[in-house]
Amino acid sequence: MGFTRFGRPKGAQGQSSPNLYVANCGPAVGLSYDTIVSVFGAFGEIKGVFAADESGARVVVCFAEEGCAQNAFNALNGRPCAELGGRSLHIRYSVLQPTSQSQGRVNDSVPVSLLASELNIPGLYLMHDFVTAKEEEEFLAAVDERPWKNLSKRRVQHYGYEFCYETRNVDSRKNLGELPAFVSPILERIAMLPMREDAEAIVLDQLTVNEYPPGVGLSPHIDTHSAFEGLIFSLSLAGPCIMEFRRYLDAGLTPRASSSSDIEIESSENNSNFLRRAIYLPPRSLLLLTGEARYAWNHYIPHHKIDMVKDSVIRRASRRVSFTFRKVRASPCQCEFSQYCDSRR
Ligand SMILES: O=C(O)CCC(=O)C(=O)O
Ligand SMILES: [Fe+2]
């Protein structure tokens, strides 16, 4: 997880601030983030609770207002707290670190963009407010009336074709029927988008509905080339998330020379290099992956309950439901990214 950009205060007491550095507090000493939010939340609106470091026993609690932080400080500092099993907290006011981390970047995380155009990933598009709040409510009610299938951390529904998570593919001979009528307004709006691919590809016939509880993410993957055609649409509903993208750089592949500041090459545990980008997906937005974004970049959702987007703290307080629309492929994939293409193996 990423750490807060609010540092440990240097002075004896530190000056007052809406952010409290709290020691003897965190998952390593048996206090969940939800418990911390509920104890500190009694003093006022909390903008976020962050790990202060890797110990799991020090957090930073950010209040919306300084007065609330002062009240929490006076009530909780150095006294055994019944709601925390008699534990005494050591609290100080915390300060914003004057480092590059204040650019919306938190140690292990990348800056999060609000616009697809900022990511410099060819074939990635994000359309805000693709559906209205009323439609969103109707779509959620429609899926909640239907049976969910439980996976280990999230629930899913499949329409058109079942998606098999073991093979990461579909059985194209087993059609489950038309997509449900309640998604027709979405399909009609998608059909009106100006697309460069041929019109055939836009007849979407597979829908996966994912329901992620707060903080649950999705592992990095490229949707199997042989399973689906080149356009993948994902509509976000109910709650927001961050979606990250990685493009692994194999020996012969160097990043396109755009502005050098834009190219950030990171190293994974096994020393392979990759480019990494992140985008904020608000509820009611529609993400489109096509071309390089669809065929060559892994996409995933980090398992975070709290994200920094620009200078704001975003809590994933509610579930996120996504509708992913795809077209099942009838013939082998012929993309230009053969190193990622299972149709070529
Ligand atoms: O939840 C999403 O928006 C993405 C889901 C996804 O990537 C998938 O089902 O392959
Ligand atoms: Fe996917």
Side-chain angles (χ1 to χ4, degrees):
M1 102 172 260
F3 303 124
T4 168
R5 67 205 168 95
F6 297 99
R8 183 187 187 132
K10 295 273 179 325
Q13 182 53 79
Q15 37 169 156
S16 179
S17 111
N19 312 305
L20 299 178
Y21 177 91
V22 187
N24 200 21
C25 184
V29 293
L31 301 179
S32 72
Y33 280 76
D34 286 343
T35 306
I36 300 166
V37 167
S38 102
V39 168
F40 282 84
F43 297 91
E45 188 196 334
I46 289 184
K47 287 175 79 183
V49 177
F50 303 89
D53 53 36
E54 275 166 327
S55 68
R58 289 182 279 270
V59 297
V60 173
V61 178
C62 301
F63 280 93
E65 287 172 28
E66 198 170 308
C68 304
Q70 281 170 359
N71 291 340
F73 182 107
N74 293 334
L76 299 174
N77 185 31
R79 301 206 184 126
C81 174
E83 292 91 334
L84 299 176
R87 182 168 292 280
S88 293
L89 305 179
H90 307 294
I91 309 180
R92 293 157 92 181
Y93 291 109
S94 185
V95 284
L96 190 62
Q97 275 181 342
T99 66
S100 61
Q101 290 177 23
S102 58
Q103 309 291 307
R105 185 176 176 133
V106 202
N107 291 5
D108 76 335
S109 61
V110 274
V112 179
S113 298
L114 300 174
L115 301 173
S117 55
E118 287 174 10
L119 263 65
N120 222 347
I121 302 180
L124 182 90
Y125 302 90
L126 180 67
M127 289 152 266
H128 291 105
D129 296 311
F130 194 75
V131 298
T132 64
K134 183 163 171 287
E135 286 173 319
E136 177 185 37
E137 253 177 53
E138 290 163 1
F139 300 143
L140 291 169
V143 289
D144 280 333
E145 267 175 15
R146 284 151 210 257
W148 291 96
K149 189 173 165 186
N150 287 308
L151 303 183
S152 69
K153 294 211 173 118
R154 62 184 205 278
R155 302 193 296 175
V156 294
Q157 297 179 11
H158 296 296
Y159 298 95
Y161 294 86
E162 182 86 22
F163 183 75
C164 170
Y165 290 92
E166 279 79 48
T167 58
R168 301 207 51 79
N169 215 317
V170 288
D171 184 346
S172 58
R173 292 160 306 179
K174 266 203 214 150
N175 182 246
L176 305 174
E178 303 265 294
L179 297 190
F182 69 85
V183 297
S184 302
I186 308 170
L187 295 176
E188 283 161 21
R189 229 161 279 167
I190 286 177
M192 279 155 49
L193 293 173
M195 290 292 166
R196 272 185 291 154
E197 305 234 354
D198 64 286
E200 192 69 18
I202 214 159
V203 182
L204 301 163
D205 56 9
Q206 199 274 337
L207 163 63
T208 295
V209 180
N210 276 290
E211 185 205 52
Y212 304 85
V216 169
L218 183 69
S219 316
H221 66 280
I222 297 178
D223 288 29
T224 311
H225 289 204
S226 64
F228 303 110
E229 297 268 1
L231 297 168
I232 297 177
F233 296 89
S234 194
L235 180 67
S236 293
L237 301 170
C241 79
I242 303 301
M243 186 171 276
E244 293 196 7
F245 298 88
R246 277 185 195 179
R247 174 140 191 207
Y248 286 91
L249 302 170
D250 46 40
L253 183 73
T254 46
R256 253 182 324 280
S258 48
S259 79
S260 57
S261 62
D262 156 66
I263 294 175
E264 283 187 47
I265 301 177
E266 309 212 9
S267 286
S268 68
E269 309 75 48
N270 58 11
N271 280 336
S272 53
N273 291 329
F274 55 87
L275 301 171
R276 188 170 167 216
R277 307 285 155 77
I279 193 164
Y280 174 62
L281 303 182
R284 300 182 289 284
S285 65
L286 183 77
L287 180 80
L288 165 59
L289 302 180
T290 178
E292 185 178 318
R294 183 264 178 270
Y295 288 121
W297 287 74
N298 280 265
H299 54 279
Y300 60 104
I301 301 170
H303 298 268
H304 289 168
K305 274 201 168 167
I306 292 168
D307 297 290
M308 283 300 292
V309 178
K310 303 289 180 196
D311 262 343
S312 302
V313 175
I314 306 281
R315 278 192 80 209
R316 274 196 239 158
S318 72
R319 67 173 176 166
R320 170 175 176 267
V321 175
S322 65
F323 287 9
T324 303
F325 295 95
R326 301 175 277 210
K327 177 169 163 55
V328 169
R329 194 180 277 287
S331 53
C333 176
Q334 298 192 326
C335 67
E336 326 157 24
F337 303 94
S338 56
Q339 67 271 44
Y340 309 110
C341 186
D342 63 308
S343 285
R344 317 294 166 87
R345 276 169 223 144

